[in-house]
Amino acid sequence: MSFIQLSRNRIVQRLRGKEEELGRIELDTNSQTYVLWLRDTFGVATTAGALIRADEYPSLDDAKAKVLQARSVFIWHCIWMRGIIKREAERELDERWEEFVASAEAAPTKASMKDRIRAAIDRLPADKIQELFEKLSTAALTQALKEIIDNLFSE
């Protein structure tokens, strides 16, 4: 199970001992507001790793009290979960490529299959992503990803 927490001025997302920065709160000296900066882990909006300006708060106390409930934090965490699922699906494809190709009538290239997998995962609703994400590092996730990949091979 993943979770998000505020640690000083950093927003951290964790999954099974692995920690990544989701964002941070910093004072904008020009506007004298506290700004939530979100980390673009997977390069969705800019270059991977860049910080994106999000919500503003009049004080640090206000920011700390409200930031974990911000829609932008929820959305960015969902994007992170989707990115992790894509990475796991690609790993599954790499590990079992020969098995998938052997059962396919016409074998596509691995690169085109990775593109199709990413697109299929992008089409999944948020609740399905959450469900898959909660199965990370389990046989249930492996089976779910195998079914997605098998379906793509049979299209």
Side-chain angles (χ1 to χ4, degrees), residues 16-30:
R16 293 189 172 92
K18 186 175 180 182
E19 178 179 296
E20 279 192 46
E21 182 182 65
L22 175 63
R24 62 177 75 142
I25 303 166
E26 293 181 355
L27 175 65
D28 179 349
T29 55
N30 293 324

Side-chain angles (χ1 to χ4, degrees), residues 45-65:
T46 63
T47 304
L51 290 168
I52 299 166
R53 187 180 182 113
D55 305 315
E56 291 186 29
Y57 302 92
S59 70
L60 182 58
D61 288 339
D62 192 46
K64 287 183 173 185

Side-chain angles (χ1 to χ4, degrees), residues 61 91 143:
D61 288 339
R91 182 194 53 72
Q143 183 58 37

